[in-house]
Amino acid sequence: MTGLVLLLLTVLVVLVATYLPGFLAVRALAGSRLLAVSFAPAIGAAVAGIGAMVAPMVGLRWSLLSFAAAGAVAVLAAWALARCGVRLPSTVLDGPLSAPRSLPGRSAWPAALIAALAVTVVPIAARAGRADAVLERYDTLFHLTALTHIRQTGNASSLDLNAVANTSLTPSSYPAAFHALAALVPGIDIPIVLNGAVLALALVPWILGSALLARAVFPRVAWAPPLVAVVATLIPASPVNLWIHLSPIPNLAGFAALSGSLAGAVALWGALAAPTEVAASPSAAHDVAAAPLGAGAVAALGTVGLAGAGLALLHPNVAVTALILLAVLTTATGLPRWRRRPWLVAVPVLALLPVALLTYTPWVRG
């Protein structure tokens, strides 16, 4: 029972650390609650990943205190930008996740979600048998060693963490945002910390993010978010399955956070690229088309960029996937408006530029 309590405590600490700084930062930029929830995991990973790289440079050990300082910097920066008028626009994610009155069978959805969670988690728990069970995969040993290394040295930097993979402990790079978040849990055995962090970051961002993506894509379909949440729980795609079969944990944590980041990006893109109501005169239409991007676009670009950094620090594969999806989205939906708003062309180009560099530039690929 003690192991179960510690596992649940780990889940709670990791989720609070993952969601809180990103949620507060987006809210400080006047983003809605749902928009804040959608971006929170990726931004939390960015805060942890960047903060963990900066901490050793300024002589700090990685801990809850240094993470709180990094989170405070992010929130204060967002607040300062908002004071200067740089705020996020209203989006389709304003308002509730789904309208309760128009939701068919609304009393059955919570039970369906709980049943789906049982289908996903109970077999894993029954097979593991205890909270500190170690999954017998090679990658699991790396992650256990990495968390032990962070706890002993106080260094969770992505620039150094791969030192645990060589006998000389020579620092080398490895995307360490997941480990930086998991290492925030103090005083609990490392196997329990690893299991709890994986459960937290593979399930919650994946389920919530999938529901939010359904809300962003089908805003008028009340049953879309709860249905997608149940399906995402029953068919978890990469998150839980990858943990069990291969244990590439940074990949699964990153892809679990991807759905929410896409939901936020889709919502912001819709707000910025949607047709604007203009006067009937051609001159008025020309004035609108020639207007600058505005503070809302600047805030959106910064938010999406920070979330993208978080995905990259969870695993670069996830960031590349996000960029390709965003390029397709912004091309398909922006193409009819390119003549009136030429600046829209820049969005897919900027999204594909890092992908092209990684793919076709040998010195970037390394």
Side-chain angles (χ1 to χ4, degrees):
M1 182 60 69
T2 302
L4 178 59
V5 171
L6 293 176
L7 182 73
L8 294 175
L9 179 60
T10 297
V11 169
L12 178 62
V13 171
V14 170
L15 285 178
V16 170
T18 301
Y19 274 88
L20 189 60
F23 181 86
L24 294 178
V26 175
R27 292 293 287 162
L29 285 172
S32 67
R33 289 183 177 86
L34 293 186
L35 190 68
V37 171
S38 68
F39 280 120
I43 293 178
V47 169
I50 296 172
M53 286 189 286
V54 173
M57 298 178 185
V58 296
L60 294 176
R61 290 180 61 88
W62 184 244
S63 64
L64 278 170
L65 184 60
S66 50
F67 173 76
V73 169
V75 175
L76 287 174
W79 176 82
L81 288 172
R83 295 280 292 179
C84 296
V86 179
R87 300 186 178 189
L88 290 165
S90 298
T91 72
V92 71
L93 289 179
D94 290 12
L97 185 59
S98 60
R101 293 183 180 179
S102 59
L103 182 62
R106 60 181 181 272
S107 60
W109 288 110
L113 183 59
I114 292 172
L117 280 170
V119 170
T120 299
V121 175
V122 169
I124 299 172
R127 184 67 181 88
R130 48 191 293 175
D132 60 351
V134 174
L135 183 62
E136 295 180 3
R137 299 288 184 271
Y138 170 79
D139 277 19
T140 303
L141 300 178
F142 173 85
H143 301 308
L144 291 169
T145 304
L147 289 176
T148 303
H149 176 78
I150 294 171
R151 186 170 286 185
Q152 291 175 346
T153 64
N155 186 349
S157 173
S158 296
L159 303 176
D160 302 328
L161 189 63
N162 212 29
V164 302
N166 61 76
T167 56
S168 62
L169 292 179
T170 303
S172 57
S173 60
Y174 184 89
F178 168 82
H179 301 86
L181 286 167
L184 295 173
V185 182
I188 296 178
D189 291 344
I190 295 295
I192 297 178
V193 169
L194 181 62
N195 290 338
V198 174
L199 280 174
L201 297 183
L203 287 175
V204 177
W206 172 252
I207 296 168
L208 270 179
S210 298
L212 288 164
L213 184 57
R215 173 72 165 78
V217 176
F218 305 109
R220 298 182 181 179
V221 182
W223 46 265
L227 177 62
V228 169
V230 171
V231 173
T233 308
L234 286 171
I235 309 174
S238 61
V240 175
N241 292 344
L242 276 182
W243 177 35
I244 299 304
H245 295 295
L246 296 174
S247 195
I249 289 171
N251 297 61
L252 69 89
F255 279 108
L258 177 60
S259 56
S261 299
L262 286 176
V266 167
L268 288 174
W269 174 251
L272 295 173
T276 305
E277 294 295 328
V278 297
S281 67
S283 61
H286 178 271
D287 291 342
V288 172
L293 294 180
V298 173
L301 182 62
T303 302
V304 172
L306 187 58
L311 294 178
L313 287 167
L314 286 168
H315 202 284
N317 288 347
V318 183
V320 170
T321 302
L323 289 170
I324 294 172
L325 292 174
L326 285 177
V328 173
L329 164 73
T330 54
T331 300
T333 58
L335 184 60
R337 307 184 180 102
W338 283 358
R339 291 186 64 183
R340 288 192 303 109
R341 299 182 178 187
W343 65 267
L344 294 176
V345 181
V347 180
V349 171
L350 289 174
L352 287 177
L353 184 59
V355 179
L357 289 174
L358 288 170
T359 305
Y360 299 111
T361 310
W363 54 86
V364 175
R365 291 201 308 266

